[in-house]
Amino acid sequence: MGLPLRMDNIHAPTVPAGPSSRPLANGNEKHLSFAELQAKKENLEAELKALSGVLDSHGVNMETPLTTADGFPRGDIDVAQIRTTRARIIHLKNDYKGLMNAIEKHLHEHFASIQDTEDVTPTTTTRAEMLGDSIPITLGEPFAKVNSVVANSPAESAGLKPGDEIRNFGYVNKGNHDGLKKVAECVQGNEGQRILVKISRRNESSGRQELQLNLTPRQNWGGRGLLGCHILPL
């Protein structure tokens, strides 16, 4: 009878860690507005934070060995999930570097145009204003709907109601929710921390109402799960 197969390369990501997992909107980053670049940056930062939380929940980091001393997979941790999470982190960090380069280039071009037209030097205040909350963000298309909300749950405390359509759940949106898997990942990685949830709610008097809610996933609230609500994909 043969011996079990050793996994000497178990630390390697499950997918290649090339230059980028998503080549910055297929190379269209230079065509995005500054507001869109900032939104992408915030989404990447939030997802990286959530993925780091996933590793923390397993008690590991990017360098923790996943094999025993004799080279076999450890049985006390979910090796497959950890490898997948590490691979995603590597890809997102590469994406983040490229995105920051695009933002820096955008800023240089913006201030260069100011100097050309007004012959003034950009001040720290001007740069801060560009990075501030005054930047208009376009509404994302809804990708999920709240089906039910449990009384006294974190979802109810945040203000979620049945029928609410979700446009953004932290860094999760219509383009990346992956059948709501990313919502579960975001919740798991942000237990005890506020998640910004952007919703659209039907209002009999004014049509639809756009709201931004702060939802804090937590245990021991008296029911099952970290949210206390049921969400369905649209």
Side-chain angles (χ1 to χ4, degrees), residues 89-165:
I89 289 174
I90 291 170
H91 283 317
L92 289 180
K93 284 184 175 180
N94 286 328
D95 286 351
Y96 190 80
K97 290 178 182 177
L99 184 59
M100 291 305 294
N101 287 336
I103 290 175
E104 187 66 22
K105 182 178 179 181
H106 193 289
L107 286 174
H108 283 312
E109 292 175 349
H110 172 77
F111 292 127
S113 66
I114 291 177
Q115 290 176 333
D116 289 341
T117 56
E118 301 179 10
D119 194 27
V120 296
T121 302
T123 63
T124 303
T125 302
T126 303
R127 185 180 293 264
E129 288 173 352
M130 284 193 68
L131 297 172
D133 295 332
S134 61
I135 299 172
I137 302 297
T138 56
L139 293 175
E141 187 176 347
F143 68 91
K145 185 176 183 178
V146 179
N147 185 46
S148 61
V149 177
V150 180
N152 302 315
S153 65
E156 185 185 59
S157 299
L160 278 177
K161 295 182 179 181
D164 287 348
E165 294 184 356

Side-chain angles (χ1 to χ4, degrees), residues 133-221:
D133 295 332
S134 61
I135 299 172
I137 302 297
T138 56
L139 293 175
E141 187 176 347
F143 68 91
K145 185 176 183 178
V146 179
N147 185 46
S148 61
V149 177
V150 180
N152 302 315
S153 65
E156 185 185 59
S157 299
L160 278 177
K161 295 182 179 181
D164 287 348
E165 294 184 356
I166 300 175
R167 296 185 184 276
N168 294 83
F169 193 100
Y171 60 81
V172 185
N173 54 48
K174 184 175 178 63
N176 67 6
H177 69 86
D178 191 20
L180 301 188
K181 291 179 182 178
K182 292 296 182 182
V183 172
E185 180 185 275
C186 183
V187 171
Q188 182 183 7
N190 287 280
E191 181 179 350
Q193 302 181 65
R194 290 190 303 175
I195 299 173
L196 179 64
V197 181
K198 299 180 181 181
I199 65 166
S200 178
R201 176 178 296 167
R202 185 174 297 280
N203 188 309
E204 293 183 1
S205 60
S206 59
R208 300 206 71 88
Q209 184 180 14
E210 303 300 328
L211 300 172
Q212 297 189 38
L213 308 177
N214 288 310
L215 175 58
T216 304
R218 57 185 174 86
Q219 298 183 9
N220 304 320
W221 55 269

Side-chain angles (χ1 to χ4, degrees), residues 38-125:
Q38 277 294 104
K40 289 176 73 67
K41 173 178 174 290
E42 292 171 2
N43 287 342
L44 280 175
E45 290 173 342
E47 186 170 359
L48 282 167
K49 181 179 179 182
L51 290 170
S52 178
V54 172
L55 293 184
D56 289 342
S57 70
H58 289 281
V60 302
N61 56 36
M62 293 295 288
E63 307 299 330
T64 304
L66 303 183
T67 56
T68 60
D70 54 359
F72 292 98
R74 288 172 53 180
D76 60 325
I77 54 178
D78 188 339
V79 172
Q81 184 180 17
I82 293 170
R83 291 179 68 210
T84 300
T85 301
R86 283 177 172 178
R88 182 65 177 162
I89 289 174
I90 291 170
H91 283 317
L92 289 180
K93 284 184 175 180
N94 286 328
D95 286 351
Y96 190 80
K97 290 178 182 177
L99 184 59
M100 291 305 294
N101 287 336
I103 290 175
E104 187 66 22
K105 182 178 179 181
H106 193 289
L107 286 174
H108 283 312
E109 292 175 349
H110 172 77
F111 292 127
S113 66
I114 291 177
Q115 290 176 333
D116 289 341
T117 56
E118 301 179 10
D119 194 27
V120 296
T121 302
T123 63
T124 303
T125 302

